[in-house]
Amino acid sequence: MPHRLWLALLAALAALVFVLPSGARPAQNVLTGVVGPGYNISLTDESGQRVTHLDPGTYTINVSDKAAVHNFHLTGPGGVDQATDIDFIGSATWTVTLVDGTYRFQCDAHPTLMKGSFGVGTAPPPPPPPPPPPPPAKPKKLAGSVGPGARIALRSASGARVATLRAGRYAVAVRDASKRDNFHLVGKGVNVKTGVAFTGKKTWTVRLAKGKYTYRSDATPRLKGSFAVK
Ligand SMILES: [Cu+2]
């Protein structure tokens, strides 16, 4: 084989070796925007990850608008301003050229609830959104009782007499079975009681703080108990 042909073949092989790796890599330039059906809006990349930072370039954004009360509105540097209509349900495809800077997307009907942003190029990625606040904890249950006869108690849900508790909210369900005694719970920030002549059930939701709490009958001084809140 002539020398020149060998050189040409080698050059072709070298070109293949250098071209293939980048040529085989899929272009990372398709993004997916979703809004609805609930109060959610997101922009994700091809691997399904939330978009926080992108290289400058041209991107295809496939938007899926799943609610007639929300829209997807993207704005940012370079004159990018694309939106679906709020009452629109369906798909839209946008081609946008992203340059250095911060881009924002939101639902125009709920811009404080439904929003996101990402940085492009030299712009730093935005901080991750704060996690949703946890639902308020349900108050833990306590059972207070007075009577019948000369007895008074405060028990936990397991039935054990309460000696120590953690600070927090508690629902105290009291069963007052005595016409001569009452159940009176007192301590920091709490002062609740049944009537001495009263019999029946009462439930109080109280916030117990660190310190000592006592429960007693106001009619019979020796009928009393106490617990510590830590
Ligand atoms: Cu909305």
Side-chain angles (χ1 to χ4, degrees), residues 18-61:
F18 282 105
V19 164
L20 266 180
S22 56
R25 198 191 310 144
Q28 298 285 321
N29 61 354
V30 177
L31 308 175
T32 301
V34 176
V35 62
Y39 285 76
N40 50 275
I41 191 166
S42 66
L43 184 68
T44 52
D45 63 19
E46 279 157 299
S47 60
Q49 296 293 305
R50 195 171 65 88
V51 170
T52 58
H53 190 264
L54 295 171
D55 291 330
T58 299
Y59 290 79
T60 298
I61 304 181

Side-chain angles (χ1 to χ4, degrees), residues 35 38-40 67 69-71 86 106-111 113-114:
V35 62
Y39 285 76
N40 50 275
V69 293
H70 305 305
N71 75 337
I86 288 176
Q106 67 175 37
C107 164
D108 293 319
H110 310 98
L113 280 177
M114 301 169 65

Side-chain angles (χ1 to χ4, degrees), residues 22-211:
S22 56
R25 198 191 310 144
Q28 298 285 321
N29 61 354
V30 177
L31 308 175
T32 301
V34 176
V35 62
Y39 285 76
N40 50 275
I41 191 166
S42 66
L43 184 68
T44 52
D45 63 19
E46 279 157 299
S47 60
Q49 296 293 305
R50 195 171 65 88
V51 170
T52 58
H53 190 264
L54 295 171
D55 291 330
T58 299
Y59 290 79
T60 298
I61 304 181
N62 293 316
V63 172
S64 177
D65 182 335
K66 299 182 176 181
V69 293
H70 305 305
N71 75 337
F72 197 104
H73 188 178
L74 173 69
T75 55
V80 169
D81 189 351
Q82 296 273 9
T84 57
D85 286 334
I86 288 176
D87 54 11
F88 168 81
I89 294 181
S91 302
T93 299
W94 304 328
T95 300
V96 295
T97 298
L98 304 180
V99 299
D100 285 2
T102 300
Y103 288 77
R104 300 176 200 286
F105 53 93
Q106 67 175 37
C107 164
D108 293 319
H110 310 98
T112 58
L113 280 177
M114 301 169 65
K115 60 180 177 178
S117 64
F118 58 93
V120 173
T122 54
K138 275 192 180 165
K140 292 182 228 35
K141 288 181 177 169
L142 299 174
S145 62
V146 59
R151 63 179 105 179
I152 194 165
L154 182 67
R155 299 176 189 277
S156 68
S158 69
R161 276 182 180 267
V162 168
T164 61
L165 291 174
R166 299 187 65 147
R169 284 207 314 146
Y170 290 84
V172 185
V174 166
R175 186 177 50 80
D176 182 338
S178 169
K179 285 183 174 155
R180 294 191 307 194
D181 286 304
N182 72 339
F183 190 98
H184 188 174
L185 173 64
V186 65
K188 188 178 178 184
V190 174
N191 187 4
V192 286
K193 59 187 176 184
T194 60
V196 172
F198 167 87
T199 60
K201 291 177 178 173
K202 283 265 166 76
T203 297
W204 306 301
T205 299
V206 295
R207 184 172 292 281
L208 302 181
K210 281 180 188 172

